[in-house]
Amino acid sequence: LVDRLERSVRVQPDRVALDFLGGTTTYARFADRVARVAEGLRRLGVGPGDCVALVMPNCPQNVVAFYAVLRLGATVVEHNPLYTVGELHLPFVDHAARVAIVWDKVVPVVEQVRAGSALEHVVAVDLTAELPLTKRLALRLPLAKERTARDQLTTPAPGHRTWRSLESAPPLDESHPRPVADDVALLLY
């Protein structure tokens, strides 16, 4: 999968790779984001064979994180962001992820899973950051409808590392060891 992404970047860097509610990302930008998030995760100690939990709905950050984890030779563990503490606890104990990338709305749920698990780092993701500018601005309007929509999409997660902190890392060095064919890519519970 990592090789296929890199091939797509070489062949069609300016084509749209992601479209999220009208906000688009080209293959070149997508690959840059993957390399930066991979380096951010590497700096958190993620390496080959480690599990990284993703607890987000379908969004660009989920796709970027997926490929970043794979690039490190680590394993993605996808979780439904609507799961309860009880539904998340046993899988977290089982896969022993030390890093979880989590929709900021469900950070409090994932924090309750921390006890008894290997979880060390929770990275909060604000879904609204990926919306087109006009939609992001509309969510800031002082209207009840917009406040309700904003509250459904994001909640501050003070004291937690942010997605932006991962993405602001420099790109992963190209000489970093690549995943191999028998690495586990994905665990689904």
Side-chain angles (χ1 to χ4, degrees), residues 52-55 77 79 85 87-102 109-110 113-119 121-122 189:
V52 176
L54 304 185
V55 190
V77 187
H79 294 281
V85 173
E87 292 168 318
L88 288 172
H89 184 72
L90 287 177
F92 265 81
V93 169
D94 185 52
H95 60 64
R98 291 179 297 107
V99 176
I101 303 174
V102 180
V109 173
V110 173
V113 172
R114 191 184 291 257
S117 75
L119 188 58
H121 304 285
V122 175
Y189 284 82

Side-chain angles (χ1 to χ4, degrees), residues 7-181:
R7 180 183 174 277
S8 294
V9 173
R10 282 191 310 275
V11 172
Q12 52 195 10
D14 298 323
R15 297 239 357 227
V16 173
L18 304 174
D19 185 331
F20 181 63
L21 302 172
T24 59
T25 304
T26 64
Y27 276 98
R29 176 71 180 122
F30 176 49
D32 180 63
R33 292 177 73 187
V34 167
R36 290 174 185 280
V37 170
E39 175 61 18
L41 291 170
R42 188 195 66 75
R43 290 178 177 195
L44 291 179
V46 176
D50 291 337
C51 288
V52 176
L54 304 185
V55 190
M56 297 176 272
N58 294 332
C59 59
Q61 296 98 323
N62 192 306
V63 182
V64 170
F66 183 91
Y67 278 90
V69 171
L70 294 184
R71 175 59 183 89
L72 294 172
T75 302
V76 173
V77 187
E78 287 277 3
H79 294 281
N80 185 328
L82 301 179
Y83 278 177
T84 64
V85 173
E87 292 168 318
L88 288 172
H89 184 72
L90 287 177
F92 265 81
V93 169
D94 185 52
H95 60 64
R98 291 179 297 107
V99 176
I101 303 174
V102 180
W103 178 25
D104 58 13
K105 291 285 292 181
V106 298
V107 164
V109 173
V110 173
E111 275 300 328
Q112 292 179 58
V113 172
R114 191 184 291 257
S117 75
L119 188 58
E120 296 173 12
H121 304 285
V122 175
V123 179
V125 174
D126 175 1
L127 299 184
T128 66
E130 294 294 324
L131 294 173
L133 179 61
T134 55
K135 290 181 182 181
R136 286 194 320 266
L137 292 174
L139 288 174
R140 301 205 185 292
L141 292 173
L143 304 172
K145 179 182 173 187
E146 299 307 327
R147 265 194 312 275
T148 300
R150 182 178 57 241
D151 291 345
Q152 290 174 343
L153 291 172
T154 187
T155 300
H160 289 86
R161 188 172 265 103
T162 65
W163 174 257
R164 192 173 306 262
S165 72
L166 290 183
E167 227 177 4
S168 66
L172 181 71
D173 191 294
E174 289 185 28
S175 67
H176 188 277
R178 300 178 61 75
V180 295

